[in-house]
Amino acid sequence: MNAASTKLLSICRSLCRGLCLPLAGLLLTYACNVQAATPQERLLTDLSVWVAAQNNASPEQVQAAPLDARVQVQGCSDSISFDYPFANHDSVRARCAKPVWQLFIKVKLAKAQNAVVASHALTAGQLLTEADLELRADFTPAAGVFSERAPVIGRQLKRALAKGQTILAQDLENTLQAVRLRQAMRAGEIITDASVERLTLQRTAASPTVWLGSTLPIGIRLARDVQAGQVLLSTDLAETRQVVVAAINLAAGQMLKPGVLKLDAIEQDKLTRTHLFDMSGLEGSELIRAVRAGEAIRSADLRPALLIKKGELVLFSVGKASEFQVSVRLEAMQDGRLGEQIKLRNSESGRTLTGIVSGKGAASGM
């Protein structure tokens, strides 16, 4: 045991005399973990941090060549110092002052590769969509990593994955989830969930152009006539989608309401994740910028509307209208948008309450 570990254990034992047993156990566990790190592990960890700092890189990028099996790394009571002894920076010299020793270690920086990871927690059996996937840099990719999202979309997961976990080939079922039409449809008709049924195809037997979306995009139309029972192909889909656009010129700060919006077609290759495909649920939102008539409205253009202004009287309600509800007029002490918590004041008693904005000039008790 080195001097640092001995000192830490001594501190832990002193603290344990006045602490409850669970906390004492945690402290001792931490001390044991610290002492469990071998001199070689400590050396390689410090080496990765130093090389990454010198190259404006991540420690995960640093790859050290395996040390000769005959080399036994000694513990160092002081910090290990590092430097580049040669101009090519292929090797790093590690030196310890007490006891005196030095080692030369070959290093290199791994290049980042794209890896498809879960954008949020995923469950076993889930059909993967583009929204479930994102690309991240991976410096040490494992076997079966996907560098693009396309081969993963429409596949079914064998096991649950946490947010940020890399999706590997062995995590996916060897089948694809496709859809086929229940009845014949003409070019230009909108495809709905009611007009299709789901089916499972063996991945090896499926056409490379089979459509793999697990959820039908809102407003998607057929590009050509399709017969009943036909498996839907990506080439069957129109290159345009219906998106939400302004029906008239709209000003920044204007609240959205029926009559100021409409659906219009846009080319498929111009779509982004910020486009809106359905007008429902947009009431109560306001624009943060001016939008011309016919211009697409995106999610980034909207925010919850200002429903309560500081100083105005607000109808504050507690309880359910269908059962028992008490309402009183209170003064708003701050502006509020839908779902926000704001301070309200009873002008008679001077008492301050907190409410959640529930509508225009209305708030509910927490």
Side-chain angles (χ1 to χ4, degrees):
M1 185 182 299
N2 59 32
S5 299
T6 302
K7 184 176 181 180
L8 181 56
L9 282 173
S10 176
I11 294 173
C12 288
R13 292 191 183 100
S14 298
L15 289 173
C16 288
R17 297 189 186 102
L19 295 174
C20 61
L21 289 176
L23 181 56
L26 288 174
L27 288 170
L28 288 173
T29 298
Y30 173 75
C32 291
N33 288 338
V34 170
Q35 101 181 55
T38 66
Q40 181 168 321
E41 291 171 342
R42 178 190 170 192
L43 168 65
L44 295 178
T45 298
D46 292 350
L47 172 70
S48 297
V49 172
W50 183 85
V51 173
Q54 301 302 308
N55 294 275
N56 193 27
S58 167
E60 288 79 13
Q61 289 179 257
V62 181
Q63 296 181 347
L67 297 177
D68 191 306
R70 295 168 295 180
V71 174
Q72 295 295 321
V73 179
Q74 301 180 59
C76 186
S77 59
D78 296 326
S79 297
I80 301 173
S81 63
F82 301 95
D83 68 280
Y84 286 121
F86 310 116
N88 58 17
H89 289 190
D90 287 341
S91 297
V92 173
R93 176 169 53 190
R95 291 188 286 186
C96 176
K98 188 177 180 181
V100 178
W101 57 260
Q102 69 176 12
L103 289 173
F104 292 86
I105 307 168
K106 287 190 173 295
V107 295
K108 66 177 181 179
L109 292 176
K111 293 183 179 179
Q113 299 182 29
N114 282 337
V116 178
V117 303
S119 61
H120 55 89
L122 303 174
T123 58
Q126 183 170 341
L127 296 181
L128 298 175
T129 67
E130 186 175 1
D132 299 323
L133 313 170
E134 63 182 38
L135 293 177
R136 289 189 184 173
D138 191 347
F139 303 111
T140 56
V145 169
F146 295 93
S147 59
E148 298 178 353
R149 283 176 284 210
V152 182
I153 294 174
R155 304 283 297 276
Q156 188 175 21
L157 273 179
K158 289 183 179 178
R159 64 188 182 98
L161 297 177
K163 178 181 179 180
Q165 190 169 349
T166 302
I167 298 174
L168 304 176
Q170 55 264 37
D171 296 329
L172 305 176
E173 298 286 358
N174 197 32
T175 55
L176 301 174
Q177 299 298 311
V179 298
R180 62 185 170 199
L181 296 185
R182 295 179 183 272
Q183 70 272 341
M185 296 183 66
R186 304 295 297 273
E189 287 191 80
I190 295 178
I191 310 169
T192 65
D193 285 325
S195 62
V196 300
E197 60 185 359
R198 310 285 170 177
L199 74 158
T200 300
L201 301 176
Q202 288 297 319
R203 185 165 172 262
T204 54
S207 165
T209 59
V210 66
W211 184 74
L212 298 175
S214 60
T215 303
L216 282 170
I218 297 172
I220 194 70
R221 297 175 184 269
L222 283 173
R224 61 186 183 89
D225 296 349
V226 179
Q227 299 301 313
Q230 183 173 324
V231 174
L232 195 63
L233 306 178
S234 56
T235 51
D236 295 330
L237 305 180
E239 295 182 355
T240 59
R241 288 272 302 277
Q242 298 280 1
V243 299
V244 178
V245 303
I248 59 175
N249 291 332
L250 301 176
Q254 184 168 344
M255 186 182 299
L256 299 183
K257 58 183 180 180
V260 302
L261 305 174
K262 66 177 183 178
L263 292 175
D264 203 356
I266 186 174
E267 293 180 5
Q268 188 81 16
D269 59 358
K270 293 182 179 179
L271 286 176
T272 69
R273 291 187 179 184
T274 61
H275 279 98
L276 303 170
F277 307 105
D278 191 358
M279 293 187 290
S280 63
L282 298 183
E283 299 84 358
S285 298
E286 70 177 19
L287 291 167
I288 61 176
R289 68 177 183 90
V291 179
R292 300 187 305 275
E295 184 181 354
I297 296 176
R298 304 168 186 251
S299 57
D301 299 330
L302 303 176
R303 66 180 176 186
L306 188 66
L307 300 178
I308 293 176
K309 294 183 179 180
K310 181 179 179 180
E312 71 179 10
L313 290 179
V314 175
L315 183 63
F316 178 73
S317 303
V318 177
K320 296 181 179 179
S322 58
E323 300 174 359
F324 179 77
Q325 187 177 63
V326 177
S327 300
V328 63
R329 293 282 180 181
L330 302 176
E331 179 186 354
M333 300 181 67
Q334 61 190 111
D335 294 341
R337 303 180 187 277
L338 185 66
E340 290 183 342
Q341 294 183 21
I342 62 170
K343 296 292 184 181
L344 304 168
R345 186 174 69 88
N346 187 320
S347 57
E348 294 183 1
S349 65
R351 183 183 176 189
T352 300
L353 301 174
T354 299
I356 298 176
V357 179
S358 56
K360 181 67 174 176
S364 59
M366 299 178 60

